[in-house]
Each structure stands twice: as C-alpha cells, then as structure tokens.
Amino acid sequence: MALKGLDIFKLTPKKNCKECGSPTCMAFSMKVAQGAAAIEQCPHMSEEALAKLSEATAPPMKTITVGVGETEHKLGGETVLYRHEKTYVSKTMYGVWVCEGCFDGKIDGIKAVDYDRIGERMYVEMLNCKFTGDVAKYVELVKKADAAARTVILDCDDVAAAEAALEAIAASKPILNGANAANYADMNAVAAKYGVVLGVSAANLDELYDTVAALEAAGNKNLILDVTGADVKETFANAVQVRRAALKNQDRTFGYPSIVNLHKIAEGDATLQTALASVFTMKYGSVIVMDGMSYAQALPMYGLRQNVFTDPQKPMKVEPGIYPLNGADENSVCVTTVDFALTYFTVNGELERSGVPMNLLISDAGGLSVLTSWAAGKFSAGSIAKFMAEFEIESKIKNRTLIIPGKVAVLKGELEDKLPGWTIVVAPNEATGLVPFMKEYK
C-alpha cells in the first residue's frame, strides 16, 4: 500500500533541507506522496528507510524491459485500470507466432507492416518462436527471428531447448516464456543465468499465483505473466482479474505485465484475432501474439492503440512541415491547417480524394482545432507568416496561392498584409466541401 505524506514524514529527518529542493522535509514528503518528487533526492535518508519508501511508492505493476537498442521495449508500470483516470504508461506490443516451417512464408508480410503515424512507428514489435520438438531447428528459428530486428519471445517449456536458444541470442534480451508449475525452478535458473525476462503460465489463476510467489521467493521479479486460457472467455477473465488484483487490490504478486497468445485461442481466424487484439489492447494485454499481421489488420489495431495509449490531457499532434499531396511539386498550390491530428487526417483525406496536386502546410498550433487555436492566438496571421519564414516556403515553392480554412476567413486581410505577393483564398467551412472546391478551383 502506498504511503501517505504523514507516513513518509515519520521516516524523514525533522529539519530544513535545501539539498532536496524543499524548504522543509514535511513539504518534500508531501511532494513524494503526490509523485512530484523522487524519494532518492533526499540526501539524509537512511538505506533502510529508502528501501521501505522505494517499495511503497513504486507502481503496483512492475516495469519490465525487454530487448536491446532499437528493439528495446518497456512493459507494465501501470497505475490505473482505466485510461480516463490518469493515463496508461506502456503501450501494448504486437507479435506474430512463427515456427520452423512457417517463418519464411510470414516474414515478408511482417516486414511490410511498417509505417509512421503521428510521429510513431507502427510495426510488428515481436516474434513468438514456438518450440516444436527439434532443438537444432529451434535454434536456427530463433536466430532468424533475432536477425529480423524484432524482440524475440521464446515460447518454450523445454529447459534444454530454452538454454540452447538463449545461448544463441541472449544478448538481444528475449522473453523466455516457458515457466510453469512443473519446471519453474529449472527455468528460473536458465533465465537468471542469461539475465532475461521469464514468462510464467499455468492451468488456472491459483496455480499462476503460487508459481509467481515461488519465483519471487527465489529472488526473481523480472517476470511476465502468460494469461492465455483455454478459450476467449477464460483468457479475458484472466487478463482482467490479474490487472485488478495488482492495481485495485495492490497485490504485487500479480503486479507484472501480461502476454495474450491469440494463436492458441483463435488459430487460423484472422478476423477474430483482429477483433480480439482490439479487445485485449484495452483489457489488458501487454503483449498480444497473433497468427499473422496484414496491412489491413494493422491499420485499425495500431490506430486504436495510439488513441488508447496517448495521454488524454495532451492532444495528438502531427509534426509541422510541408506535406506534398497527389504528386505535388514546387508549382502546386499551398493549403494550410492546424497540427491537431484529427483535423490533419480529416483534411488530408479529403484533399487526397480531390486528386488535385497541392502542398499541405502544417504549422504549430499547439495541437488544437482550427477555431480553438485561433481563439487562443496559436493559429493566426502572425503564426502562419512565422511558419512560412522558418520553413523557407518561398524558396521551396514557386506557387503564391495559399488556401486557408473557411472558419478563419477573418485572417485573409491580415495575411495579405503579412505575405505580400501571395493570393489568399478561403476554403469551405467544413472538410466535406474540400473535394468539389479543389476540383473547381483547379
């Protein structure tokens, strides 16, 4: 249970301290309780008190790191059950199930799902390598998966095969998802030897709890829980109950990220797997493994994930810049709007449908909509002119026509003063009117 400010105060020295950033230790203690300061900032804290407070103030779900370099990912660290309570911390990772006989047939499709959306790379982050009985073939499989620059999940409950696979790719810090009630002691030794995260599975939640408790008693808290059950209903119940036990009941034995393997409960049904992946993105899969991943599957899933794991208090923004559409060049007309992601994608889609070549200019409007940013002074004639100067638009684009949103038609006169030589054209009020407007304008 998290300590309150007064509890923390009891364990801190009763004197003023400039070193920790607060005029009194009481004020500093309240900052720690509110999450505004780290307890380690106090130079007078004893090791015993620091250990107690660090444990008490840590998130109820442990943050686990897997992979290295470009394939490194953070899992867990969650503090709330629902996004609207605060925000989610570590986004769901998507993986694809591969085996010795199917890897070559899947890898091209896996690599094809790789694109950017609002500054975030959308791609298959993990490859789940299933052990099917042949150790030599399994080692070759995991080497291929490792070479594909994805975090590898070793789906293997055979101790000898797991050690052979880790011997080959341990430096990449894969997940060893192979511990269960029967082999956890041996698997724990292997995971500890190579310093990797250990996945734990069980026949039911009681068995899972007991196995995790035994691993913690053995000193291993670098874990991930495989909550996949016999069917969809059981898997969903497992995922929800584990998360609620950790966050609502503050039971740290279940305070670890989770794996949901859709290959086991919906094998061969791509449509069902896509629907289930959406469900478990929200409730509460840290890693979701699927049979495959097509571009059509990825678009809705990654869009949902980005919405769910974006801080609700921070609007999603696109990067300011020049976005050529429909084969635009330096002679194409310019259109401008704000950087609010929803506005950008709405306007971008309509402009692309028109088929007219144009340069879409996105300036920094604080991630606000057109009218809101205009009212706040973030989307004005001055800000647009400043953007044009900073991005050297006049040296890059010869066309001197700028189309502005209809809802800020009031800016037309001021823009003509600030951008001499430019023709300012007012577009329709709504994005739905852009297609006929652009075709007629052309």
Side-chain angles (χ1 to χ4, degrees):
M1 181 178 293
L3 296 182
K4 298 178 181 179
L6 289 176
D7 296 324
I8 295 173
F9 180 64
K10 293 174 184 177
L11 295 174
T12 55
K14 311 298 190 294
K15 63 179 181 179
N16 292 346
C17 177
K18 296 180 180 179
E19 294 178 76
C20 67
S22 295
T24 67
C25 282
M26 181 62 176
F28 174 70
S29 300
M30 295 305 298
K31 281 188 176 182
V32 174
Q34 295 165 5
I39 191 65
E40 291 81 3
Q41 289 179 268
C42 179
H44 305 296
M45 188 70 63
S46 69
E47 290 187 8
E48 179 186 1
L50 184 60
K52 289 181 180 179
L53 290 171
S54 296
E55 178 72 19
T57 58
M61 177 179 289
K62 190 174 177 62
T63 300
I64 300 297
T65 302
V66 298
V68 293
E70 293 184 356
T71 67
E72 181 178 298
H73 304 291
K74 300 287 186 182
L75 305 174
E78 305 298 344
T79 59
V80 294
L81 282 172
Y82 307 106
R83 175 180 179 267
H84 66 263
E85 293 180 274
K86 189 176 181 182
T87 185
Y88 288 151
V89 177
S90 302
K91 65 184 179 184
T92 298
M93 299 288 122
Y94 296 128
V96 170
W97 187 93
V98 294
C99 60
E100 292 95 332
C102 67
F103 181 87
D104 293 335
K106 288 184 176 182
I107 192 61
D108 288 341
I110 291 168
K111 290 182 177 179
V113 179
D114 195 340
Y115 61 95
D116 287 326
R117 184 179 188 270
I118 319 180
E120 181 181 336
R121 184 186 176 195
M122 308 295 193
Y123 72 110
V124 178
E125 292 98 352
M126 299 189 177
L127 294 177
N128 185 93
C129 299
K130 177 62 178 176
F131 175 62
T132 56
D134 189 312
V135 175
K137 289 183 178 180
Y138 189 59
V139 171
E140 291 306 311
L141 170 64
V142 300
K143 285 181 179 179
K144 285 183 179 181
D146 188 52
R150 303 295 196 273
T151 302
V152 177
I153 303 173
L154 300 176
D155 190 352
C156 174
D157 58 7
D158 183 283
V159 177
E163 183 154 18
L166 283 171
E167 185 68 32
I169 66 164
S172 298
K173 297 301 178 185
I175 297 171
L176 172 56
N177 186 21
N180 54 47
N183 69 2
Y184 72 86
D186 292 333
M187 279 294 184
N188 183 47
V190 173
K193 177 181 178 180
Y194 293 96
V196 299
V197 173
L198 181 61
V200 189
S201 60
N204 53 59
L205 288 183
D206 288 338
E207 185 176 285
L208 181 64
Y209 188 93
D210 292 341
T211 305
V212 172
L215 286 165
E216 288 183 329
N220 191 349
K221 293 188 177 182
N222 197 26
L223 307 172
I224 186 168
L225 311 184
D226 191 331
V227 298
T228 311
D231 53 28
V232 174
K233 181 180 179 180
E234 183 180 336
T235 303
F236 183 80
N238 289 347
V240 172
Q241 289 182 55
V242 165
R243 183 64 60 92
R244 287 178 65 86
L247 301 190
K248 187 174 181 179
N249 300 334
Q250 300 288 301
D251 190 334
R252 293 178 184 267
T253 302
F254 270 164
Y256 297 96
S258 60
I259 294 177
V260 175
N261 193 331
L262 299 181
H263 169 79
K264 294 181 180 179
I265 57 177
E267 182 179 357
D269 192 332
T271 303
L272 178 58
Q273 287 195 30
T274 304
L276 291 176
S278 300
V279 170
F280 286 107
T281 295
M282 297 182 287
K283 301 278 186 184
Y284 291 102
S286 303
V287 177
I288 297 175
V289 177
M290 305 174 66
D291 273 343
M293 181 80 73
S294 68
Y295 203 77
Q297 287 175 290
L299 286 173
M301 284 168 43
Y302 287 112
L304 172 67
R305 183 181 75 175
Q306 190 170 53
N307 286 332
V308 170
F309 287 91
T310 298
D311 188 338
Q313 297 181 1
K314 296 180 181 178
M316 294 192 340
K317 301 164 54 176
V318 296
E319 287 296 317
I322 306 170
Y323 294 80
L325 303 178
N326 302 324
D329 58 24
E330 61 182 7
N331 297 308
S332 301
V333 67
C334 297
V335 181
T336 189
T337 191
V338 295
D339 58 348
F340 178 43
L342 180 58
T343 299
Y344 167 80
F345 282 112
T346 302
V347 170
N348 183 291
E350 295 298 320
L351 293 177
E352 285 187 336
R353 283 205 310 125
S354 74
V356 178
M358 68 197 75
N359 293 297
L360 180 57
L361 308 182
I362 302 296
S363 58
D364 184 357
L368 304 175
S369 64
V370 173
L371 282 179
T372 306
S373 60
W374 170 74
K378 294 180 179 294
F379 189 56
S380 62
S383 68
I384 294 172
K386 181 181 178 182
F387 165 83
M388 303 278 274
E390 289 180 350
F391 281 79
E392 302 177 340
I393 300 299
E394 293 191 353
S395 65
K396 296 175 182 177
I397 299 175
K398 294 179 180 179
N399 192 295
R400 290 296 180 266
T401 299
L402 177 64
I403 300 174
I404 64 174
K407 290 184 177 179
V408 289
V410 68
L411 298 179
K412 184 176 187 300
E414 193 175 351
L415 275 170
E416 288 173 340
D417 292 338
K418 291 185 175 293
L419 299 174
W422 283 78
T423 300
I424 308 302
V425 178
V426 178
N429 284 343
E430 303 297 334
T432 52
L434 285 173
V435 173
F437 172 81
M438 292 305 303
K439 289 183 175 179
E440 183 179 339
Y441 179 81
K442 177 183 177 183

